[in-house]
Amino acid sequence: MAMVGFIINVHITLFFLILKIGRDTVASTSLPAATAPGDIIIGGIFPIHEDVDKETESFEPHIRRCIRFQQSGFVLALAMINAIEDMNKSPPLADANITLGYRILDSCSDVSTALRATNDLMQQGNCNSSGSSSSCGQPIMAVVGASYSETSIAIARQLTLQMIPQISYSSSAVLLSDKTHFPAFMRTIPNDKYQTTGMITLLSHYGWNWVGIITTDGSYGLSALDQFVSQASAKGICVAFKSILPQSVSSQDTSSAITKTARIIYKNPKVQVIISFAKPSQMKFLFHELKSMMLKPGETNGEGQMRRVWVASDSWSASRYIYGNLTLEDIGCVLGFTFKSGNVSLFREYLERLGAPEENIKINPFLQEFYMHMNATAVGSGEDKHVSEALRSLREHIHADLILSVEMAVSAITQAVATICRRTDCKTPGSIQPWQVLAALRMQEFKLRQKSYKFDSSGDINMGYEIVMWTSVTSEISVHHVVAEYHPLYPNITFMEQHNFTTKQLLDDLKQVVSKCSNSCIPGQFKKTSEGQHTCCYECINCTENYYSNSTDMDQCLSCDADTEWSPKGSSSCISKEQLFFSWNDIFAVVLLAFSALGILLCLLTSALFLYQRDTPVVKAAGGPLSQAILFSLVVSYISAMLFVGEPSSLQCKARQVLFGISFTLCVSCILVKTLQILLAFQFNPALQNMLRKIYQPYAIITICVALQTATCICWLVLLSPYAHIIKQPTTLLQYCHEGSYVAFGVMLGYIAILAFVCFICAFKGRKLPEQYNEAKFITFSMLLYLISWLLFVPIYVTTSGVYLPAVEMVVILISNYGILSCHFFPKCYIIFFKKEQNTRSAFRKNLYEYSSKHMESSGSSGSNGQDFSCDLPPVPTLSPVTGPTLTSSYKPSVTQQCHKRSISM
């Protein structure tokens, strides 16, 4: 086995020497290419080298030497070769009786070199007479590539001249979706607009709104930067800094730009999340620069820790080239967006077959260079081990997403060509044109591993993205674990449910990362941004009174409904204003209601007692039926007082004043009639008595008095009636009854006051009547109490406001009611219960006789002062509420003559 390995190594070395001599001879006129014959030739452009040597300066056109072999680009070229070999065995090509060949060139990650490669591909079908026949090849029907957007944009303009279809496997710049400028360009991936949208969604998911961006100055980087900034601004995400690195990795400015970027990161400790669209090599240098910066004396501090959360674009998210001797402790957490991946098991089998290099190096010079590169890096190792290490190195650079994209591109071209060749003899030169392949590609679906795909109107295939997380085993970065998926058709990122412990721990740690310029404003605060600052940099201000914010980081406070709500300063919600009114639960209201209920009960009991004792002198002297009317009016008045308690309503406001006004008018009118009745009964001037008897109509007087008050109340209700009103106070709603017209309210009370005053005057004049008939003293007191209480009511009512305003009137009503009840009825009840001997006719006659005797004596003595009286003792008066006072002769004293008055002119 060792001998076989030695022989293989000798053959490879000799072949490389011969190849190098030949390549140096034609270096100025040709490009190395991996080729294979076929009826239809497909071109391929891959970044097999990382850059070109730019140190050589010459005005003469020349091909720059490619430097730094890049295994990831070489693996993609091998994936295209494997896909074409598999397609040649597929039924579509077998049915069309054709085979596919290929011509694969190296772009060297350089636009100029890529343009030379494109020109080489386009010239394959052009045979000039001066050239040898060997230089004339088959025309290229389609091109797979390139990798970077800057390169694809350049060669797309060139391929469009002949409408040669171009299918890229990783160029994602949004500009390439413009079919006006790039009609022949297609790709098997989505454009960057969707990748940046996914990044914004990821940032929003974790609440990160203060981020930095690192990108390159090429079309891909600048386009991605513009897309990200515009979308981030719409979502409230701010860009703290933007670092644009030179496109060329070997540029002299790259090192200083990376150092400057590391310094910016160091000086922005609040920026814990960084978005990067840079190249893998640039990120590798940046990570090493950050690590070395932390190792410098005096650089390490609490704020300057370099570990960040890195959101990687598809350009480097799956690159193993970056690792080196770095660990996640040095880098931080990496979340990367990759294209949808596929099954690479067949491709891995293909790589295993490359173990016999002498069978492949003849048609693939890049494979030759790869083994030469690996031979140079393998020191003191056996040949078998050298081959094994080479294959292992290739397997490490397999990117499943890009492998699938390359295979999709080859499959799409294969099925488009097969469709054309089933109708046309494609073996005849010139029978098929590139534009025909382009039309077939844009119009028809193609299949790969039982799945159907189709280019959209922009020439893209949008399958969404996978989000990978870098994890480590034994401190070395080794695994890219898919943790989530994002598709533009769905608004949110779908996280996988099953993760290993390490990945789950890393995802949990991400929730603790805070990347904000300012701390979140809690509910009850709003963000205030100073002029010229980022919208993400703000101070938190408490909401003012009657304003609130109910979520974090609100731009402004919301207003409470001023009619029903309020809020204190710094509130997170509105508070319903307390409804204030003279409530049933108020202790003062309970006391007043108890007095009202007691008054009603006393009125009812008194009424029952008077009905039972209706034939007794005391009840008759109290007015008989008029006493029942007074008691009824007092009951209604007590009920009206109860309506001053509780939440006001329009009906309640109207009813309480009208009930009180009419009922109390009835009460005072009856008292007025009683007062006049008593005075008339003891009026001993026959002429005056007869005249008063004619005009004295009790019920008419009562009816007229009550009717006038009723008319007043009706006008009040019709024109401007009381209504329920709410006074809006800062924290409360005061509900009360507005009287509508205070003039009408005053007229109603004034009318009652006039009747009460008349009663007071009449009662005062009859204060010296017989004791059994003498209610005048009590009427005088009750009316005086009424007048005083209502006179006091006016200033108190005018100056009082708030919940207890209804209580003021309620108290006055109760005082008035109890004054009448106590003065008019309680003395009668006392006689009925405790002075029964006085509740007889004989007792009343005796009392009248004594009163008459005193009256005659006073009259006689007054006659000596200018008046001459000739009197008989008056008959006994009997009170009748219907006919007025009448005289009866049931009790006759010794003198029976009427008194004759003789007036003496003064």
Side-chain angles (χ1 to χ4, degrees):
M1 191 68 179
M3 181 61 68
V4 173
F6 175 75
I7 295 173
I8 292 175
N9 191 34
V10 170
H11 278 80
I12 291 175
T13 304
L14 290 174
F15 188 85
F16 285 166
L17 290 173
I18 296 171
L19 180 66
K20 187 175 187 306
I21 293 172
R23 188 180 298 170
D24 291 341
T25 303
V26 296
S28 60
T29 59
S30 63
L31 294 172
T35 61
D39 299 314
I40 302 295
I41 304 299
I42 302 176
I45 299 178
F46 296 89
I48 299 175
H49 287 82
E50 191 176 344
D51 207 346
V52 295
D53 185 1
K54 298 178 181 178
E55 294 181 0
T56 304
E57 295 185 1
S58 173
F59 293 105
E60 182 181 357
H62 65 283
I63 300 176
R64 290 183 174 179
R65 183 174 63 90
C66 298
I67 58 176
R68 293 194 295 274
F69 191 85
Q70 191 167 250
Q71 294 187 41
S72 57
F74 178 55
V75 168
L76 295 177
L78 293 178
M80 177 178 171
I81 294 173
N82 175 60
I84 291 176
E85 291 178 358
D86 288 344
M87 288 295 114
N88 282 331
K89 303 173 187 177
S90 65
L93 293 184
D95 294 342
N97 192 28
I98 58 171
T99 58
L100 298 180
Y102 56 83
R103 181 174 181 81
I104 299 176
L105 301 174
D106 182 9
S107 69
C108 301
S109 305
D110 177 65
V111 174
S112 298
T113 305
L115 288 174
R116 289 182 182 275
T118 304
N119 185 65
D120 178 274
L121 294 176
M122 296 177 68
Q123 295 297 325
Q124 287 303 306
N126 297 334
C127 302
N128 51 56
S129 57
S130 61
S132 61
S133 60
S134 60
S135 65
C136 181
Q138 293 176 267
I140 302 297
M141 292 294 108
V143 175
V144 176
S147 179
Y148 302 118
S149 294
E150 300 80 12
T151 307
S152 290
I153 290 171
I155 67 177
R157 299 183 189 277
Q158 196 169 358
L159 293 173
T160 298
L161 298 176
Q162 298 182 13
M163 295 302 286
I164 299 175
Q166 173 191 359
I167 303 180
S168 174
Y169 47 85
S170 65
S171 297
S172 56
V174 178
L175 179 63
L176 290 166
S177 292
D178 184 358
K179 295 300 103 178
T180 303
H181 296 91
F182 305 99
F185 179 84
M186 291 171 286
R187 52 188 162 198
T188 54
I189 58 171
N191 69 45
D192 274 334
K193 178 177 70 176
Y194 303 108
Q195 179 175 224
T196 53
T197 301
M199 289 178 173
I200 297 298
T201 305
L202 180 66
L203 297 178
S204 300
H205 174 79
Y206 285 106
W208 300 324
N209 65 359
W210 188 237
V211 300
I213 297 181
I214 300 173
T215 188
T216 58
D217 63 359
S219 299
Y220 166 77
L222 296 179
S223 173
L225 176 63
D226 291 341
Q227 288 291 325
F228 181 87
V229 171
S230 61
Q231 295 182 38
S233 177
K235 293 294 184 179
I237 298 173
C238 301
V239 178
F241 62 82
K242 307 170 190 175
S243 181
I244 302 177
L245 304 177
Q247 176 69 17
S248 174
V249 179
S250 60
S251 171
Q252 295 179 353
D253 298 330
T254 300
S255 178
S256 60
I258 289 175
T259 301
K260 181 180 179 181
T261 300
R263 180 63 59 182
I264 292 174
I265 295 173
Y266 177 81
K267 291 182 177 180
N268 287 272
K270 290 186 176 181
V271 180
Q272 290 296 307
V273 178
I274 300 175
I275 316 297
S276 175
F277 299 94
K279 291 182 177 181
S281 56
Q282 293 170 330
M283 292 307 301
K284 181 177 182 178
F285 296 151
L286 177 60
F287 287 144
H288 280 285
E289 179 66 24
L290 291 171
K291 182 178 180 180
S292 62
M293 185 176 293
M294 288 302 300
L295 296 177
K296 292 180 182 178
E299 293 288 352
T300 304
N301 58 66
E303 289 187 341
Q305 294 298 325
M306 293 303 179
R307 297 181 70 252
R308 296 289 190 272
V309 175
W310 300 87
V311 179
S313 70
D314 59 86
S315 61
W316 65 278
S317 58
S319 175
R320 296 176 183 270
Y321 168 78
I322 298 176
Y323 302 166
N325 60 350
L326 296 171
T327 66
L328 290 182
E329 291 295 324
D330 302 323
I331 297 175
C333 179
V334 178
L335 287 172
F337 281 74
T338 64
F339 305 119
K340 285 286 186 176
S341 59
N343 189 344
V344 295
S345 58
L346 295 177
F347 180 64
R348 289 182 181 275
E349 293 177 4
Y350 169 76
L351 292 182
E352 294 296 333
R353 296 196 296 272
L354 291 178
E358 65 277 5
E359 298 177 4
N360 301 288
I361 57 177
K362 294 179 182 180
I363 61 173
N364 190 346
F366 306 117
L367 184 60
Q368 302 166 8
E369 185 176 358
F370 167 68
Y371 277 110
M372 177 181 274
H373 170 74
M374 293 302 298
N375 191 39
T377 57
V379 180
S381 60
E383 185 61 28
D384 291 340
K385 186 176 181 180
H386 167 65
V387 173
S388 177
E389 286 293 326
L391 295 178
R392 185 187 64 81
S393 179
L394 287 179
R395 287 193 295 270
E396 288 180 354
H397 288 83
I398 293 177
H399 297 162
D401 56 336
L402 297 182
I403 298 297
L404 175 62
S405 295
V406 171
E407 291 175 346
M408 288 174 64
V410 173
S411 178
I413 296 171
T414 299
Q415 295 179 44
V417 168
T419 300
I420 297 172
C421 293
R422 278 194 289 267
R423 301 189 302 263
T424 305
D425 183 11
C426 294
K427 291 183 176 293
T428 302
S431 59
I432 180 173
Q433 297 297 323
W435 63 265
Q436 294 176 297
V437 179
L438 175 62
L441 284 169
R442 293 293 298 274
M443 295 176 62
Q444 71 180 39
E445 292 184 350
F446 65 93
K447 288 186 176 181
L448 178 64
R449 300 189 183 98
Q450 308 306 316
K451 290 185 178 181
S452 297
Y453 304 93
K454 190 177 188 302
F455 295 99
D456 61 21
S457 59
S458 299
D460 305 334
I461 296 179
N462 191 349
M463 297 187 296
Y465 298 87
E466 293 176 343
I467 301 177
V468 300
M469 172 176 278
W470 289 15
T471 58
S472 61
V473 177
T474 63
S475 76
E476 293 185 1
I477 304 173
S478 59
V479 179
H480 293 165
H481 193 79
V482 178
V483 296
E485 292 182 344
Y486 172 74
H487 197 284
L489 294 179
Y490 305 104
N492 298 318
I493 292 176
T494 304
F495 284 85
M496 306 297 184
E497 294 183 358
Q498 296 181 351
H499 301 298
N500 58 43
F501 176 78
T502 303
T503 304
K504 187 176 184 301
Q505 185 65 41
L506 289 173
L507 287 173
D508 291 340
D509 291 342
L510 285 179
K511 298 177 181 177
Q512 309 302 321
V513 175
V514 177
S515 187
K516 293 185 176 182
C517 179
S518 302
N519 294 329
S520 294
C521 292
I522 62 175
Q525 298 176 332
F526 72 98
K527 300 187 296 185
K528 182 181 179 182
T529 305
S530 300
E531 186 176 356
Q533 283 188 335
H534 285 283
T535 57
C536 298
C537 299
Y538 48 81
E539 57 179 323
C540 296
I541 307 297
N542 287 333
C543 295
T544 58
E545 293 181 356
N546 297 323
Y547 286 84
Y548 74 100
S549 61
N550 55 5
S551 61
T552 58
D553 292 335
M554 291 189 66
D555 294 323
Q556 61 182 4
C557 296
L558 305 176
S559 175
C560 297
D561 184 353
D563 293 336
T564 59
E565 298 175 328
W566 74 285
S567 65
K569 184 178 180 181
S571 179
S572 61
S573 62
C574 291
I575 303 171
S576 296
K577 288 186 176 181
E578 184 181 1
Q579 305 282 336
L580 296 182
F581 52 86
F582 196 36
S583 171
W584 297 91
N585 298 324
D586 192 287
I587 296 177
F588 189 31
V590 172
V591 172
L592 295 180
L593 288 170
F595 276 106
S596 297
L598 178 62
I600 293 173
L601 179 62
L602 292 174
C603 287
L604 294 176
L605 292 176
T606 304
S607 176
L609 177 63
F610 274 41
L611 283 174
Y612 182 73
Q613 298 283 335
R614 60 184 176 275
D615 296 327
T616 62
V618 170
V619 175
K620 289 182 177 181
L626 286 180
S627 63
Q628 296 295 330
I630 295 174
L631 290 170
F632 170 76
S633 66
L634 290 178
V635 169
V636 176
S637 183
Y638 279 121
I639 293 173
S640 71
M642 290 183 172
L643 296 178
F644 285 84
V645 181
E647 184 175 0
S649 65
S650 294
L651 179 60
Q652 179 181 342
C653 294
K654 294 177 176 65
R656 67 183 191 178
Q657 296 292 7
V658 172
L659 284 178
F660 169 72
I662 295 175
S663 64
F664 212 79
T665 300
L666 174 61
C667 178
V668 177
S669 299
C670 292
I671 294 173
L672 177 60
V673 168
K674 282 182 60 177
T675 306
L676 294 174
Q677 192 177 51
I678 295 171
L679 286 177
L680 290 175
F682 291 94
Q683 176 56 255
F684 298 113
N685 189 328
L688 183 60
Q689 190 179 65
N690 290 333
M691 182 188 69
L692 292 175
R693 186 193 300 271
K694 293 178 181 180
I695 65 173
Y696 179 75
Q697 299 295 330
Y699 289 143
I701 294 173
I702 294 172
T703 302
I704 292 172
C705 291
V706 174
L708 289 175
Q709 184 70 290
T710 303
T712 301
C713 291
I714 290 174
C715 293
W716 185 11
L717 294 177
V718 171
L719 298 178
L720 201 58
S721 63
Y723 58 91
H725 184 61
I726 298 177
I727 297 179
K728 298 169 185 176
Q729 297 175 335
T731 61
T732 58
L733 294 175
L734 178 60
Q735 300 185 58
Y736 75 105
C737 285
H738 192 283
E739 303 304 343
S741 172
Y742 284 98
V743 173
F745 181 47
V747 169
M748 182 195 76
L749 295 180
Y751 180 73
I752 299 174
I754 291 172
L755 294 178
F757 184 72
V758 173
C759 289
F760 171 75
I761 296 299
C762 294
F764 183 78
K765 292 184 67 176
R767 65 188 182 281
K768 295 181 179 181
L769 294 177
E771 188 174 349
Q772 278 77 359
Y773 289 92
N774 194 6
E775 292 184 89
K777 294 180 180 179
F778 297 110
I779 293 175
T780 302
F781 181 76
S782 63
M783 291 301 103
L784 184 61
L785 182 63
Y786 171 82
L787 292 172
I788 293 174
S789 61
W790 283 97
L791 285 173
L792 292 175
F793 162 78
V794 174
I796 295 175
Y797 185 84
V798 170
T799 57
T800 301
S801 62
V803 174
Y804 292 104
L805 180 61
V808 175
E809 187 171 355
M810 189 176 178
V811 168
V812 176
I813 292 174
L814 291 177
I815 291 174
S816 302
N817 290 353
Y818 273 102
I820 293 173
L821 187 62
S822 301
C823 295
H824 287 260
F825 296 99
F826 287 175
K828 305 298 185 293
C829 294
Y830 176 78
I831 293 173
I832 291 172
F833 285 114
F834 303 106
K835 299 290 185 179
K836 294 181 180 180
E837 67 279 2
Q838 295 181 8
N839 191 17
T840 62
R841 287 180 178 272
S842 58
F844 268 75
R845 290 191 184 104
K846 180 181 179 182
N847 183 264
L848 286 172
Y849 177 77
E850 292 175 354
Y851 172 77
S852 299
S853 299
K854 291 180 181 179
H855 179 73
M856 292 305 296
E857 291 176 359
S858 62
S859 297
S861 61
S862 63
S864 61
N865 294 327
Q867 288 184 341
D868 183 18
F869 290 91
S870 175
C871 299
D872 292 334
L873 194 64
V876 179
T878 301
L879 297 179
S880 173
V882 179
T883 61
T886 60
L887 298 176
T888 179
S889 58
S890 57
Y891 175 74
K892 298 181 180 179
S894 57
V895 181
T896 59
Q897 304 296 321
Q898 293 184 345
C899 295
H900 299 283
K901 179 179 179 182
R902 183 171 63 240
S903 300
I904 301 175
S905 57
M906 301 295 295

